[in-house]
Amino acid sequence: MSAEKKSFLASAQVISACIFLSRVLGLAREVLSAMVFGAGWVMDAFVLAFQVPNLFRKLFGEGALSAAIIPVYADHLARKTPEQANHFVSSVITLLAVFLSAVTILLMGVAWALPYVLPATSPPEKLPLACHLLMVMLPYLPLVCVVAVLTAVLNCHKHFLLPSLASVVLNICWIAGFLAAPWFGSTPEVQVYGIACAILVGGVLELVMQVPPLRRHRVSYRPTMDGKDEGVREVVRLMGPTVFGLAIIQINLVVDNLIAEACVPGDGAVSALYFGNRLMQFPLALIGVALAQAVFPFFADHAARGETEGLRKSVDQAMRVSNFVSIPAMAGLAVLAQPIVELLFKWKAFSQYPDAVGRTVLVVVCYAAGVWSFCAVQVLNRAFYAMKDTRTPVRAGMVSVGVNLALNLTLVWWLREAGLALSTAIASVANQVLLRRALGAKIGRGEPTSLGAIVRPIVASALMAGLCWEVAALLTPTPARDLLIPRLLRVLASMAAGIIVYALLSIRAPETRELLSSMRTGERRPT
């Protein structure tokens, strides 16, 4: 295995370990959310409010800016002086902070006015609560977007540890918000403000913790607004199509929640989508996001040097690893959806809604059908971004959004909120197909994938899923013993059995040897 492949697999493992810790804490916060707020109107209001800063974080932070900055900053590191690179970073941060601060103030005014111009909801307190929470959380928007810029810069220096731990800090603050919530009042609609304030504190800490590694890599910041800087102009040029495409995709996610709120009778549809999506995000982050984040700088290096063959090989390798790990994750999440939902969420306030578990389980199963494709799209998009091609992912994304919206308006009437999740999974498959074809036309087809590389993980995952199902059924707790320990034992034993079976069935797979080799390598792991 090449030294580069060992390096990006090692990087992916560092990122994945940090993301695993973050996702465990994230699940803990969602468990607390379910226990304290349940799946009713207070949780619906919080989810709707958090959608807005989260939308802009994905647009101007993790999405468009990171896609534009990494290839441009890689060029600066390869061809220009450190002073020029620092000037570029300073200009981007200053311009971004000023622009997003203005957007934040504008959105605060909109949130203040909405309860006076929109019709009343049921219950009538839901819309005012959502708008007030939004006003509290909006300052998180510029903070987290600047953090995303700094993360992209550090990743170009092959530094992954502290940037990957930023979300861990946010989740710790979020969980601490539940401890502080009683100080705000005794009712859920007042205590939820404690969570909103904790998110702001988390954003500040995320920013502060990036300073030490930036200094270590001699990246300095001086306030400057040089809009004429060549690198800044290149970032803006690359961002334009990406912001447009991501805006459509992210707004489509908001529309999913609005469709759930408007078309599904009663409360809880938005909450079921939210909790189901959080469970789907666990394997997506550990596999797709971690792998894509790790390989992006290597893709960018190949593209900056004009090494088309090296880029093609790196993409092929990353895709094989992604499929090898994401297919069993998809199967395991689908068959263990009910035990996992019962373990994590079936407590206190959540249990007061009789159909909350069943609705959330169905959403998880539908989202799980697209996990392998969600992960593949993460990697494929980075290949285009590395070549400074932001238009192709936008075009593919727009088609998938159209597919998603059409399916949303069809399936929601039969499957309710689960139909929205299934639509998202199907649309992602369409996105992946389009990206694969476009990438092949741009850099040439890679080496043909062997039949074994395709069939082996599918067969092994099917056998693994069957065993997980049987173990979970065998360990189903009786109503009298439906407590934490029996639920936990059911999930852990099922997962352990599945992992062992998949590992044994895949022991001779080349992907297994590559992953083990990257763990044993004596090279210094990326930090």
Side-chain angles (χ1 to χ4, degrees):
M1 183 170 58
S2 67
E4 179 192 285
K5 190 171 184 182
K6 286 184 180 181
S7 184
F8 82 63
L9 286 176
S11 301
Q13 289 161 12
V14 170
I15 298 168
S16 188
C18 296
I19 290 177
F20 177 77
L21 176 59
S22 173
R23 295 299 169 172
V24 168
L25 293 171
L27 287 178
R29 92 187 187 206
E30 306 309 347
V31 170
L32 291 171
S33 297
M35 292 174 64
V36 175
F37 304 123
W41 69 270
V42 173
M43 191 64 197
D44 284 356
F46 175 81
V47 171
L48 290 171
F50 188 62
Q51 288 279 324
V52 177
N54 204 39
L55 165 66
F56 279 85
R57 175 181 66 86
K58 291 182 179 296
L59 284 180
F60 296 100
E62 295 178 353
L65 267 173
S66 61
I69 286 174
I70 285 182
V72 175
Y73 189 63
D75 277 347
H76 277 67
L77 293 179
R79 303 176 182 179
K80 298 188 178 182
T81 65
E83 291 75 17
Q84 289 174 310
N86 285 336
H87 179 78
F88 160 70
V89 172
S90 297
S91 296
V92 170
I93 291 175
T94 305
L95 290 167
L96 178 70
V98 171
F99 172 70
L100 289 181
S101 296
V103 170
T104 298
I105 295 171
L106 175 63
L107 290 177
M108 281 186 172
V110 173
W112 175 83
L114 277 179
Y116 299 99
V117 298
L118 291 181
T121 57
S122 178
E125 299 90 351
K126 181 188 291 188
L127 179 60
L129 177 61
C131 291
H132 293 158
L133 290 172
L134 174 58
M135 293 173 68
V136 173
M137 289 187 285
L138 274 172
Y140 173 74
L141 191 160
L143 289 171
V144 75
C145 290
V146 171
V147 169
V149 174
L150 300 180
T151 295
V153 169
L154 288 171
N155 285 349
C156 284
H157 289 281
K158 307 302 188 291
H159 186 109
F160 298 98
L161 181 58
L162 281 179
S164 299
L165 287 174
S167 57
V168 173
V169 172
L170 175 65
N171 282 329
I172 291 174
C173 292
W174 198 317
I175 292 171
F178 286 98
L179 302 178
W183 296 350
F184 287 78
S186 57
T187 59
E189 55 266 34
V190 177
Q191 292 177 346
V192 73
Y193 284 97
I195 313 303
C197 293
I199 290 173
L200 279 185
V201 175
V204 173
L205 294 180
E206 282 183 288
L207 181 61
V208 170
M209 68 184 294
Q210 307 307 316
V211 174
L214 288 168
R215 288 181 174 175
R216 191 181 315 152
H217 292 286
R218 299 180 179 178
V219 179
S220 60
Y221 169 74
R222 289 180 176 83
T224 179
M225 296 182 64
D226 187 0
K228 296 181 179 180
D229 180 85
E230 179 184 347
V232 172
R233 289 186 174 185
E234 181 75 357
V235 167
V236 173
R237 184 185 68 80
L238 293 173
M239 276 183 60
T242 309
V243 168
F244 178 73
L246 287 173
I248 296 174
I249 294 171
Q250 296 303 321
I251 290 172
N252 190 67
L253 295 177
V254 176
V255 170
D256 283 358
N257 284 313
L258 295 178
I259 291 175
E261 179 69 22
C263 299
V264 180
D267 292 322
V270 173
S271 298
L273 269 180
Y274 175 77
F275 288 123
N277 184 271
R278 298 310 302 169
L279 289 180
M280 179 272 293
Q281 291 290 332
F282 197 93
L284 172 58
L286 288 180
I287 302 165
V289 174
L291 186 59
Q293 188 175 340
V295 299
F296 194 4
F298 296 94
F299 289 175
D301 286 346
H302 284 305
R305 296 185 177 96
E307 299 169 353
T308 303
E309 180 66 20
L311 176 60
R312 183 166 58 244
K313 287 183 177 180
S314 292
V315 172
D316 288 344
Q317 292 166 349
M319 288 299 296
R320 284 197 300 107
V321 172
S322 176
N323 290 334
F324 181 74
V325 184
S326 64
I327 291 174
M330 172 185 69
L333 181 61
V335 298
L336 295 180
Q338 182 159 345
I340 292 173
V341 170
E342 290 179 350
L343 169 65
L344 296 176
F345 302 136
K346 193 180 176 183
W347 306 104
K348 293 189 177 180
F350 197 85
S351 299
Q352 297 175 8
Y353 300 87
D355 59 348
V357 169
R359 294 172 70 175
T360 305
V361 166
L362 190 54
V363 168
V364 172
V365 171
C366 291
Y367 272 133
V371 163
W372 68 278
S373 183
F374 297 144
C375 293
V377 167
Q378 293 281 333
V379 174
L380 292 170
N381 276 338
R382 294 318 191 277
F384 286 101
Y385 296 155
M387 296 182 287
K388 300 182 181 179
D389 178 2
T390 55
R391 295 181 181 274
T392 300
V394 168
R395 288 194 290 265
M398 289 176 64
V399 173
S400 69
V401 165
V403 172
N404 188 36
L405 184 58
L407 290 173
N408 276 348
L409 297 176
T410 303
L411 297 179
V412 69
W413 306 110
W414 284 276
L415 297 175
R416 305 206 298 179
E417 63 274 359
L420 304 178
L422 183 59
S423 300
T424 301
I426 296 172
S428 179
V429 175
N431 194 9
Q432 180 188 356
V433 170
L434 293 172
L435 288 173
R436 277 183 173 274
R437 293 182 61 183
L439 188 61
K442 196 173 186 70
I443 63 174
R445 301 287 179 182
E447 297 179 2
T449 304
S450 67
L451 185 62
I454 298 173
V455 174
R456 187 186 295 111
I458 294 175
V459 173
S461 297
L463 295 173
M464 177 206 75
L467 179 62
C468 289
W469 179 276
E470 291 297 331
V471 173
L474 182 66
L475 296 178
T476 301
T478 61
R481 299 185 67 251
D482 192 14
L483 303 172
L484 174 61
I485 298 303
R487 291 185 194 176
L488 181 62
L489 177 63
R490 182 188 186 193
V491 172
L492 293 181
S494 302
M495 292 177 63
I499 292 171
I500 292 171
V501 167
Y502 188 77
L504 292 175
L505 292 174
S506 306
I507 194 68
R508 294 184 178 276
E511 292 83 2
T512 301
R513 293 194 296 271
E514 291 163 1
L515 289 169
L516 291 176
S517 177
S518 70
M519 294 177 186
R520 293 194 299 264
T521 181
E523 299 173 4
R524 186 176 74 88
R525 288 174 179 265
T527 54

